[in-house]
Amino acid sequence: MRLHRNLVFGVVDGLHMIFNEGIYASKAVEQILKRDKRWGSRDRGFIAETIYDIVRWKRLYAEIAEVKEPFDRTNFFRLFAVWAVLRGISLPDWKQLEDTPTRRIKGRFDELSKIRKYRESIPDWLDETGVKALGETLWTKELHALNELAPVVLRTNTLKTSTPFLRKRLLEEGIDADLIKGYPHALKLKERANVFITEAFKEGLFEVQDASSQLVSPLLDVSPGLRVVDACAGAGGKSLHLAALMENKGQLIALDIYANKLHELKRRAKRNGAHNLETRLIDSTKVIKKLHKKADRVLIDAPCTGLGVLRRNPDTKWKLSATSLEKILQTQKELLRDYSKMVNDGGKMVYATCSILPQENSKQVETFLQSEEGKSFSLVKEQHIYAHSSGYDGFYMALLQRS
């Protein structure tokens, strides 16, 4: 493989944006890829995948390269050199890459791979937290799985099509996908591809949504005609799934504290043909109070550490801290107590996170059930989904019912 200067410089600039300017990896990649319209799909793939790889393995590569944060431009080239050497890519004769100790890099890699925090490239505090929460065996297996490349999974928009028809339609556009047993509306791509440029996507026939995430909305047990609230809707992947399960009948209210996310949801809902969905910005406590005991179903897809989706967002592990974890736990506790008040008598609620930590999951539900607000609820069922056993994202979901 021949390295091209403008692509490697793009990678280095992307790393600078992520580690020195605090920009999320997905946004940094998006901005870098807009730089040069002449870049083809292979060039763009190289930039995106290399940035994500170096972000994912930052701790291991930094240890091998003997560089410490804050990284300067020279450091980023050294991280890139480690990435290239470990992939057997010949380094060009550029001044930024001269004197790269190829043999030493391989030796250090073998040596550090015996230690989990380096092998899986994770901060000390997070490694300790994971071991304490899940135990050595489960944490080691899960952490390894969360460093693997996530498959691309689509969810059929049943308001517009069926899964067999979508599969056929994608094949006509050159995209081959498999059905996934146990996930009725999911298709897994055989090879990575930019599905957003397909006509099928523009027509709203599908959304990109991991298989584990596709289990959340069905657990809420919605049906046409109900009043359903998605309390932390964000850009609305699960809201759109709920609209499809409700067959566009009934009322679906998508709430969030971020106006830009709800704006994006409106755009997606239009493309999906989801007409029973309305968005409401939580700009005061009145928004929730007005819905007290008015909802048949409430989904709380709570803000969380996102540890279950590290494969997609590897920069998360560098942005998290022990302090931010404590704040997240407090927020989850408050959301459960406040938003559960929207559930009417006999109504159901799902609490879900894309985390694998018990303190964000089953322990939050236990605490809620023992609280004043939770005493009229009972736990119907819960699911712990781990990446190492499912092959998909790590998730937790609990179905609760008010008596």
Side-chain angles (χ1 to χ4, degrees):
M1 179 186 181
R2 185 164 166 258
L3 294 173
H4 298 276
R5 199 179 286 267
N6 63 342
L7 301 183
V8 175
F9 279 41
V11 169
V12 167
D13 291 344
L15 295 172
H16 170 76
M17 289 161 77
I18 295 160
F19 292 119
N20 295 341
E21 295 177 2
I23 296 172
Y24 283 101
S26 56
K27 294 287 174 201
V29 168
E30 198 180 299
Q31 287 180 39
I32 294 291
L33 294 183
K34 284 177 181 168
R35 275 193 186 175
D36 194 333
K37 291 194 170 104
R38 293 168 302 175
W39 285 339
S41 59
R42 189 178 286 181
D43 297 334
R44 297 160 71 80
F46 171 83
I47 290 172
E49 285 164 30
T50 308
I51 289 174
Y52 272 109
D53 261 347
I54 295 173
V55 169
R56 181 172 284 113
W57 304 109
K58 180 196 78 167
R59 182 168 192 188
L60 175 63
Y61 290 179
E63 198 67 26
I64 292 170
E66 296 178 340
V67 295
K68 284 188 166 61
E69 291 189 73
F71 299 132
D72 60 23
R73 204 163 173 79
T74 306
N75 296 157
F76 287 129
F77 275 106
R78 289 183 75 166
L79 293 177
F80 177 82
V82 171
W83 174 87
V85 167
L86 293 176
R87 270 158 190 73
I89 297 166
S90 298
L91 293 174
D93 188 17
W94 303 344
K95 73 173 193 303
Q96 293 90 345
L97 301 173
E98 63 190 6
D99 302 327
T100 298
T102 305
R103 281 180 65 186
R104 192 164 181 280
I105 286 171
K106 291 173 181 170
R108 285 285 282 157
F109 174 78
D110 292 341
E111 191 185 312
L112 291 166
S113 292
K114 293 168 187 161
I115 305 162
R116 184 181 53 222
K117 64 185 180 182
Y118 295 123
R119 180 178 70 245
E120 302 299 352
S121 198
I122 194 157
D124 286 355
W125 78 269
L126 193 49
D127 194 36
E128 288 156 17
T129 301
V131 169
K132 198 173 170 188
L134 299 172
E136 287 279 350
T137 307
L138 178 52
W139 175 243
T140 301
K141 277 189 203 167
E142 190 63 4
L143 195 50
H144 182 68
L146 290 171
N147 270 326
E148 290 172 352
L149 196 61
V152 179
V153 180
L154 313 179
R155 178 183 57 76
T156 309
N157 177 16
T158 54
L159 292 173
K160 290 194 170 187
T161 189
S162 66
T163 307
F165 180 82
L166 174 62
R167 190 184 183 195
K168 183 170 168 284
R169 180 68 194 279
L170 287 167
L171 202 54
E172 287 166 8
E173 296 201 50
I175 292 172
D176 200 358
D178 288 326
L179 300 167
I180 310 175
K181 195 179 175 185
Y183 303 85
H185 303 130
L187 286 173
K188 181 163 79 171
L189 265 57
K190 285 188 177 177
E191 284 181 18
R192 301 184 84 76
N194 183 3
V195 293
F196 301 113
I197 58 172
T198 62
E199 288 304 312
F201 178 74
K202 290 170 191 170
E203 289 168 26
L205 303 188
F206 68 86
E207 289 290 330
V208 175
Q209 187 178 15
D210 184 77
S212 296
S213 179
Q214 291 188 37
L215 298 174
V216 177
S217 295
L219 186 65
L220 194 56
D221 187 29
V222 299
S223 55
L226 293 181
R227 175 183 259 197
V228 179
V229 174
D230 183 353
C232 308
K238 296 178 186 72
S239 299
L240 296 172
H241 196 180
L242 288 168
L245 294 169
M246 294 168 74
E247 297 168 17
N248 256 339
K249 294 168 188 151
Q251 186 184 22
L252 174 57
I253 302 166
L255 306 173
D256 206 86
I257 59 171
Y258 298 109
N260 61 325
K261 289 185 178 180
L262 292 177
H263 181 73
E264 171 65 6
L265 171 52
K266 275 186 192 173
R267 198 176 65 77
R268 292 173 75 187
K270 190 177 177 185
R271 188 181 64 239
N272 275 249
H275 309 304
N276 68 329
L277 188 152
E278 65 166 285
T279 60
R280 293 185 194 175
L281 180 67
I282 304 172
D283 51 6
S284 73
T285 53
K286 286 180 190 169
V287 177
I288 305 299
K289 280 180 183 164
K290 275 184 184 172
L291 289 167
H292 277 189
K293 286 217 170 182
K294 298 275 176 66
D296 302 304
R297 301 285 186 271
V298 171
L299 170 60
I300 302 174
D301 182 20
C304 67
T305 55
L307 289 182
V309 292
L310 280 182
R311 298 185 302 173
R312 296 171 198 288
N313 307 311
D315 51 328
T316 298
K317 56 187 171 182
W318 313 123
K319 287 181 163 57
L320 278 175
S321 66
T323 310
S324 63
L325 173 57
E326 283 309 312
K327 283 183 185 167
I328 288 165
L329 294 175
Q330 188 55 37
T331 300
Q332 290 168 345
K333 194 181 289 184
E334 288 165 8
L335 289 182
L336 262 169
R337 289 181 175 182
D338 291 347
Y339 292 1
S340 61
K341 292 171 185 171
M342 293 187 279
V343 183
N344 65 20
D345 294 336
K348 294 175 182 177
M349 172 173 81
V350 163
Y351 171 77
T353 76
C354 53
S355 177
I356 50 172
L357 294 178
Q359 53 265 53
E360 294 186 80
N361 298 334
S362 48
K363 286 184 180 174
Q364 286 288 23
V365 171
E366 282 167 27
T367 303
F368 168 70
L369 292 172
Q370 287 160 14
S371 70
E372 186 60 32
E373 296 84 355
K375 65 183 182 185
S376 60
F377 283 85
S378 57
L379 176 63
V380 180
K381 63 175 162 181
E382 63 180 350
Q383 264 181 288
H384 300 264
I385 301 169
Y386 294 107
H388 78 271
S389 51
S390 70
Y392 303 105
D393 290 345
F395 254 86
Y396 171 82
M397 52 201 83
L399 175 64
L400 301 114
Q401 185 160 17
R402 193 194 276 275
S403 56

